[in-house]
Amino acid sequence: MSRKNILPTVVAFILYAIFLFALIFFFGPSIKKNLEEGRYVERMDEYTKRELMAETRTFSLCYYTPYGSKMKDVVVRERPSDDLHQMLEALVDTPSRSVVLEGLISYIPDGTRLIGATIDDGIAFIDMSEEFLSSEDIEKAIDQVKKSVNALYPELRVFLLADGNPLD
């Protein structure tokens, strides 16, 4: 490349650097002042601390290995709902990194949502979205839900529905 071809690029770079320096020099102090007066930094620190200190809960969830089912303790962030809903939401979420690294498999398909869960007269009624039916092995998916619920509430019978239709 000849010097004539490089010269416009060098000049453009120098002008760009001068422009950025001028912006920082003239507007930097007012931006800093606004940040300090608005307490944005303190608010971000508070938000970060609150997120790190958020209460967590551990649930024992059922997954599969090539040799059968296995219960795995999974830590989840506390949610504003009861234990049953929190546990089921954790079960239908994408498995955590630790679950995957341990070689555990979930037969609950991606995209499955918890529609509802109630306990009445010793029975847990669990309603999953219709995506639940697209499981590679629906029996194992049902077993995952039942074993996970029974790890939390051993005395309950589990009645499973998919989009309001009974599965049992």
Side-chain angles (χ1 to χ4, degrees):
M1 205 189 263
S2 70
R3 288 180 188 231
K4 287 182 182 180
N5 292 340
I6 286 183
L7 188 59
T9 305
V10 171
V11 169
F13 178 76
I14 291 171
L15 289 174
Y16 181 70
I18 291 170
F19 175 73
L20 284 178
F21 177 75
L23 281 176
I24 293 169
F25 182 76
F26 289 111
F27 295 109
S30 65
I31 292 171
K32 182 180 177 191
K33 180 183 174 199
N34 287 335
L35 285 173
E36 289 170 352
E37 287 175 0
R39 294 189 42 234
Y40 295 111
V41 174
E42 290 91 358
R43 288 184 196 166
M44 285 306 294
D45 285 345
E46 289 170 18
Y47 176 77
T48 303
K49 286 177 190 172
R50 207 170 35 246
E51 283 296 306
L52 292 173
M53 304 281 289
E55 292 194 29
T56 58
R57 177 72 200 273
T58 302
F59 293 105
S60 191
L61 303 179
C62 178
Y63 292 98
Y64 274 85
T65 70
Y67 310 106
S69 65
K70 177 180 179 181
M71 301 305 287
K72 166 81 173 157
D73 286 343
V74 176
V75 177
V76 298
R77 187 177 307 265
E78 192 80 33
R79 297 179 181 172
S81 60
D82 62 36
D83 289 347
L84 180 62
H85 281 85
Q86 286 184 61
M87 183 275 301
L88 289 167
E89 289 287 348
L91 186 63
V92 299
D93 280 349
T94 303
S96 67
R97 185 172 191 263
S98 67
V99 168
V100 173
L101 288 175
E102 207 170 306
L104 302 175
I105 301 164
S106 176
Y107 284 94
I108 298 173
D110 286 340
T112 299
R113 296 176 332 281
L114 174 66
I115 294 174
T118 58
I119 298 172
D120 187 28
D121 200 26
I123 302 171
F125 294 91
I126 314 293
D127 193 4
M128 298 289 193
S129 64
E130 65 183 41
E131 290 84 359
F132 187 79
L133 298 172
S134 65
S135 174
E136 292 177 29
D137 189 331
I138 192 71
E139 294 303 319
K140 287 182 179 174
I142 291 170
D143 191 51
Q144 273 186 262
V145 174
K146 287 183 175 184
K147 285 182 177 177
S148 296
V149 170
N150 288 139
L152 187 60
Y153 299 107
E155 72 282 357
L156 291 180
R157 291 183 308 151
V158 179
F159 187 76
L160 206 54
L161 302 107
D163 208 23
N165 299 312
L167 292 178
D168 295 334

